[in-house]
Amino acid sequence: MRTLTLNRPHRRNAIDGALWIALAEALRAAADDRSVRALVLTGAGGAFCSGADISVPDNSHPVHRMRPLTDVAALLHELPLPTVAKVTGPAFGAGWNLALGCDLVLATPESTFSQVFTKRGLTMDLGGSWLLPRLVGMQQAKRLALLAETIDAVQAHDLGLVTWVVPAAEIDGCTDELAARLAAGPPVALAQTKALLHEGSDSTMHRALAAEARAQGLNLATADAPEAYAAFAERREPRFTGRWTVHRPPIRPATSENGR
């Protein structure tokens, strides 16, 4: 398990240009490190992330200014391992979309959420325009985006935008337990499952079936499926590694033409 902590508590972890670049580099490093089996994203000092830091003027072209945000959103979405957002305190604007980009979200009763963009004269970024309608439907997405309301963790949970709400005193332990469960899972199967779900949201049934067949072929070429079967038969927990192994059928002895 690896934890990435946004560490600008004096700005409620608002992300400036340097932190966007550092976050992208950290996500690339996690994707390339096979020892990392689950990723937790959180913030320091009782906040998750209050969004992009707009307090410092930036005179660069908007296209260049947006590129680091786009990189982070794409890297997080495509990360081939399960991700958990541990949200304490506010998650506003790009900060909320950063949490929504994770596979699972834990929050506390004190957590608050807002698609604050229109209050700043801006539009949604960090994938929010893609994520929200798929998570809550178009009408609720428009409500959250157009009105820029602040909602609490219970409301977010009711809308399906938070997976679990746990007491603040328990969130560290709950996050660690969840990450450990994910890290113990079959890495190839988890990566393929995540990719299938993402691709399926924009796909047809026939394309989804073809993608599932391809993914299952990859799973069956690892040691994890036989290990799962053996563990079930032996009544123990499986030990998944994601190790690649080709299961070849036994070679039959050669026979002569007349030896049928």
Side-chain angles (χ1 to χ4, degrees), residues 113-127:
F113 305 86
S114 177
Q115 293 288 330
V116 72
F117 300 97
T118 58
K119 288 186 176 179
R120 306 289 183 260
L122 300 170
T123 50
M124 304 161 74
D125 57 29
L126 217 76

Side-chain angles (χ1 to χ4, degrees), residues 15-172:
I15 305 179
D16 62 4
L19 187 52
W20 283 119
I21 294 171
L23 183 54
E25 291 174 349
L27 291 171
R28 289 189 187 96
D32 292 338
D33 189 341
R34 292 185 181 179
S35 69
V36 180
R37 301 274 291 268
L39 183 79
V40 175
L41 185 60
T42 191
F48 181 74
C49 176
S50 58
D53 192 344
I54 59 174
S55 65
V56 179
D58 187 344
N59 296 322
S60 62
H61 193 286
V63 170
H64 300 149
R65 198 184 317 165
M66 290 301 300
R67 187 170 297 155
L69 282 74
T70 301
D71 288 347
V72 165
L75 287 164
L76 184 60
H77 183 72
E78 296 166 4
L79 202 65
L81 53 97
T83 55
V84 178
K86 181 173 74 172
V87 179
T88 58
F92 281 20
W96 191 8
N97 292 335
L98 193 62
L100 294 179
C102 293
D103 302 317
L104 301 168
V105 180
L106 287 104
T108 72
E110 295 77 23
S111 303
T112 53
F113 305 86
S114 177
Q115 293 288 330
V116 72
F117 300 97
T118 58
K119 288 186 176 179
R120 306 289 183 260
L122 300 170
T123 50
M124 304 161 74
D125 57 29
L126 217 76
S129 63
W130 189 90
L131 290 163
L132 266 184
R134 285 161 175 78
L135 290 168
V136 300
M138 186 61 73
Q139 193 171 74
Q140 289 295 337
K142 288 178 178 178
R143 165 204 162 190
L144 293 167
L146 297 177
L147 297 177
E149 297 174 330
T150 297
I151 62 174
D152 61 28
V154 173
Q155 292 171 298
H157 180 267
D158 290 343
L159 287 168
L161 298 170
V162 165
T163 320
W164 297 281
V165 180
V166 298
E170 299 176 14
I171 193 168
D172 288 345

Side-chain angles (χ1 to χ4, degrees), residues 138-222:
M138 186 61 73
Q139 193 171 74
Q140 289 295 337
K142 288 178 178 178
R143 165 204 162 190
L144 293 167
L146 297 177
L147 297 177
E149 297 174 330
T150 297
I151 62 174
D152 61 28
V154 173
Q155 292 171 298
H157 180 267
D158 290 343
L159 287 168
L161 298 170
V162 165
T163 320
W164 297 281
V165 180
V166 298
E170 299 176 14
I171 193 168
D172 288 345
C174 288
T175 303
D176 290 345
E177 180 183 359
L178 175 61
R181 287 174 58 192
L182 293 168
V188 173
L190 291 179
Q192 293 298 312
T193 298
K194 178 174 174 176
L196 286 170
L197 292 171
H198 286 174
E199 292 168 14
S201 65
D202 287 331
S203 186
T204 64
M205 180 64 165
H206 290 292
R207 289 176 182 170
L209 289 170
E212 289 173 359
R214 289 193 299 271
Q216 207 69 291
L218 291 175
N219 296 326
L220 293 172
T222 72

